[in-house]
Amino acid sequence: MVWCLMKPQGFGDYWPDGEFVGWKEPLKKYYDNEMPHEKKVAMGMTKRIYYSEFSKKFSKDLGRLEAVECPKEFLTIKKYNNLADLIDTQDRLLAVSEALKSIIEDVEPEVHQFWPLKIISRRGEAYPVNYYGMVVGRFLDSFDYEQSRKENWRHSGDSYVPRSTMKKKDFSEMVMSAKVIGGAHLWREPKVSKINLYFSDELQERIERAGLRLFKRYKLKDV
């Protein structure tokens, strides 16, 4: 079986309100003094720096982040006491607790990128649980639109967009190709909008057994 995780709606324990601190300054220094010209050309930044071009790598299939591209601190506007084990931060960068990171690395080692991300409130209080920025390293095209219930979807450019009224039963009619998925445990589907991540059944079971808190998720159909 396959599971999908939806994006969190509104700020809270799954999406703490805040911003990166100390991220742009090192990037500007890197751009001015060390960034290869061919990389500036590839990212469309020959005349000036665009921080949004760096943050695209948080959620798109653009390769691993260099150390200078990884945010190190996330400053929240309020103190959070019970953050989920998977959270959204800024610019679609996901962060995971150490417990979730360990499970992901155990079932799928050396596929995804992690680095320490310190979460701090505006009062300077560090969140007591270790978190890590995460860039998903696997992108698949396993959604089978032809075998799915087409009434649940609309096209937008090259993407498929689920109806906003989709319920649990509707997601159970979302068909994924087992052949394309193969032995993958965690991935993104660039051609499907509004759905954040996809999990294998094994990863879902490990997360459930550990009692971890994640975004709302639905069981899909794989054939």
Side-chain angles (χ1 to χ4, degrees), residues 59-97:
S59 59
K60 296 185 180 297
D61 189 9
L62 297 172
R64 295 177 70 86
L65 274 64
E66 296 184 32
V68 71
E69 298 173 319
C70 299
K72 305 298 191 299
E73 292 189 4
F74 182 68
L75 182 69
T76 61
I77 66 168
K78 56 175 274 188
K79 182 180 179 181
Y80 288 89
N81 296 315
N82 191 27
L83 290 176
D85 291 279
L86 173 68
I87 61 173
D88 209 339
T89 61
Q90 179 183 338
D91 296 330
R92 299 184 180 181
L93 176 66
L94 298 176
V96 298
S97 66

Side-chain angles (χ1 to χ4, degrees), residues 28-151:
K28 183 63 166 63
K29 184 177 179 180
Y30 167 70
Y31 175 85
D32 290 338
N33 303 308
E34 301 175 40
M35 189 173 179
H37 178 71
E38 57 269 23
K39 185 173 181 179
K40 292 180 180 179
V41 172
M43 297 179 71
M45 296 193 297
T46 55
K47 295 183 178 180
R48 56 164 295 184
I49 188 171
Y50 296 103
Y51 297 102
S52 60
E53 291 300 312
F54 289 102
S55 62
K56 283 180 181 179
K57 297 177 72 174
F58 297 162
S59 59
K60 296 185 180 297
D61 189 9
L62 297 172
R64 295 177 70 86
L65 274 64
E66 296 184 32
V68 71
E69 298 173 319
C70 299
K72 305 298 191 299
E73 292 189 4
F74 182 68
L75 182 69
T76 61
I77 66 168
K78 56 175 274 188
K79 182 180 179 181
Y80 288 89
N81 296 315
N82 191 27
L83 290 176
D85 291 279
L86 173 68
I87 61 173
D88 209 339
T89 61
Q90 179 183 338
D91 296 330
R92 299 184 180 181
L93 176 66
L94 298 176
V96 298
S97 66
E98 190 156 19
L100 180 54
K101 171 180 175 287
S102 297
I103 291 174
I104 294 171
E105 289 188 312
D106 188 43
V107 299
E108 205 158 48
E110 300 182 6
V111 175
H112 314 288
Q113 183 179 4
F114 300 93
W115 67 92
L117 179 65
K118 193 172 184 180
I119 300 176
I120 305 173
S121 72
R122 288 204 181 276
R123 293 184 177 181
E125 299 168 297
Y127 194 73
V129 175
N130 291 331
Y131 274 79
Y132 298 81
M134 178 179 75
V135 170
V136 175
R138 193 188 301 278
F139 292 76
L140 300 176
D141 183 14
S142 67
F143 174 51
D144 192 330
Y145 172 74
E146 294 301 323
Q147 294 197 64
S148 299
R149 187 175 181 181
K150 297 181 176 63
E151 293 86 348

